[in-house]
């Protein structure tokens, strides 16, 4: 299992041993737009879900706070998302980048989610502190051909996605609303024409009310070719 450590706005830190990791999918609030997105993906060979929104269990060790993600080939990319982290003291909100194997995705979305880590930020906020203005919090992602992400590829807000409270209810129904559970939100649209198969990724949540931001950044490194 993975031990995650988060710095809070007051300067204190809290550690969480991840016991359950789940990735939401097709989680936009406007489900008409979600269905249109499913149709677009189908044209690329990506199988659609049996229901929306979807929820994919992921191996808990894939919740990571790393500066490098190793992949097997060039057709992988991140997704800007928020993450709920349930602790004994309460629920944290942070940023996450769900790195996904796009070549594997055409064979099964759940498989592709287990091929690479969910990279989480090292800072977090208590959900209770930001819940009154959640929809104002922005969610952005950048990519770069080099080690520095410099091109905006995702630009939205939490208003585009189903709320943390929606997912907390789903977790409660499944007996998973307990310390050690991490849920990744699902993502927002990427900017057309921007190459998602990038060397570097950065994702950020920014709160205009408090002026605070949390981010995660990493580079992508291809592993050596297999032998045999």
């Amino acid at each position: 299992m993975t031990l995650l450590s988060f710095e809070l706005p007051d300067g204190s830190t809290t550690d969480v041993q991840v016991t359950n990791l789940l990735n939401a999918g097709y989680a936009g609030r406007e489900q008409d737009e979600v269905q249109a997105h499913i149709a677009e993906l189908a044209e690329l060979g990506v199988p659609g879900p049996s229901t929306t929104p979807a929820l994919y269990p992921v191996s808990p060790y894939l919740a990571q706070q790393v500066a490098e993600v190793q992949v097997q080939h060039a057709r992988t990319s991140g997704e800007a998302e928020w993450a709920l982290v349930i602790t004994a003291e309460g629920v944290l909100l942070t940023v996450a980048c769900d790195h996904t194997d796009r070549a594997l995705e055409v064979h099964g979305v759940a498989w592709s989610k287990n091929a690479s880590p969910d990279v989480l930020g090292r800072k977090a906020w208590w959900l209770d502190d930001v819940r009154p203005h959640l929809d104002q919090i922005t969610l952005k992602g950048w990519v770069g051909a080099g080690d520095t992400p410099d091109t905006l590829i995702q630009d939205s807000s939490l208003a585009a996605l189903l709320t943390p409270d929606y997912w907390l209810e789903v977790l409660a129904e499944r007996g998973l609303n307990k310390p050690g559970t991490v849920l990744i939100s699902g993502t927002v649209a990427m900017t057309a024409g921007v190459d998602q198969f990038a060397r570097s990724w950065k994702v950020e949540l920014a709160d205009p009310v408090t002026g605070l931001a949390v981010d995660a950044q990493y580079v992508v490194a291809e592993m050596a070719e297999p032998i045999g």
Side-chain angles (χ1 to χ4, degrees):
M1 296 181 190
T2 300
L3 181 68
L4 302 177
S5 183
F6 298 98
E7 180 184 341
L8 303 176
D10 64 4
S12 64
T13 60
T14 186
D15 296 338
V16 181
Q17 190 84 45
V18 181
T19 56
N20 296 285
L21 176 60
L22 303 110
N23 283 17
Y26 309 101
R29 291 192 201 175
E30 298 298 329
Q31 285 293 299
D32 288 346
E33 295 180 9
V34 170
Q35 294 302 319
H37 179 55
I38 291 172
E40 292 172 353
L41 291 175
E43 294 179 1
L44 300 175
V46 178
S50 59
T51 186
T52 61
L55 193 61
Y56 305 103
V58 179
S59 298
Y61 73 87
L62 291 173
Q64 298 181 13
Q65 294 168 312
V66 294
E68 180 181 271
V69 170
Q70 294 192 352
V71 298
Q72 292 182 308
H73 55 80
R75 291 190 63 80
T76 71
S77 62
E79 296 180 348
E81 312 199 13
W82 54 254
L84 288 180
V85 182
I86 302 179
T87 77
E89 295 77 29
V91 181
L92 296 173
L93 179 71
T94 189
V95 73
C97 196
D98 170 19
H99 205 80
T100 301
D101 187 319
R102 302 302 178 186
L104 187 57
E105 192 173 35
V106 301
H107 301 288
V109 174
W111 293 350
S112 71
K113 299 300 182 186
N114 278 276
S116 296
D118 289 325
V119 181
L120 283 82
R122 295 183 180 274
K123 294 183 178 181
W125 308 316
W126 291 114
L127 177 61
D128 285 346
D129 291 342
V130 297
R131 182 181 275 112
H133 58 273
L134 269 173
D135 285 359
Q136 298 179 53
I137 295 175
T138 60
L139 174 62
K140 296 184 179 183
W142 294 264
V143 294
D147 290 351
T148 303
D150 54 9
T151 302
L152 190 66
I153 189 171
Q154 293 177 280
D155 187 3
S156 189
S157 74
L158 270 58
L161 295 166
L162 293 171
T163 66
D165 285 334
Y166 171 89
W167 288 113
L168 286 172
E169 290 184 8
V170 172
L171 293 176
E173 291 170 359
R174 287 159 175 74
L176 294 172
N177 189 352
K178 57 187 178 182
T181 293
V182 175
L183 182 139
I184 313 294
S185 67
T187 195
V188 294
M190 292 188 184
T191 302
V194 177
D195 184 9
Q196 64 179 285
F197 303 118
R199 159 70 177 166
S200 57
W201 274 83
K202 177 183 177 181
V203 291
E204 178 194 76
L205 289 180
D207 184 343
V209 173
T210 64
L212 300 176
V214 295
D215 64 51
Q217 182 173 329
Y218 61 91
V219 296
V220 180
E222 286 190 50
M223 292 182 279
E225 290 291 328
I227 299 174

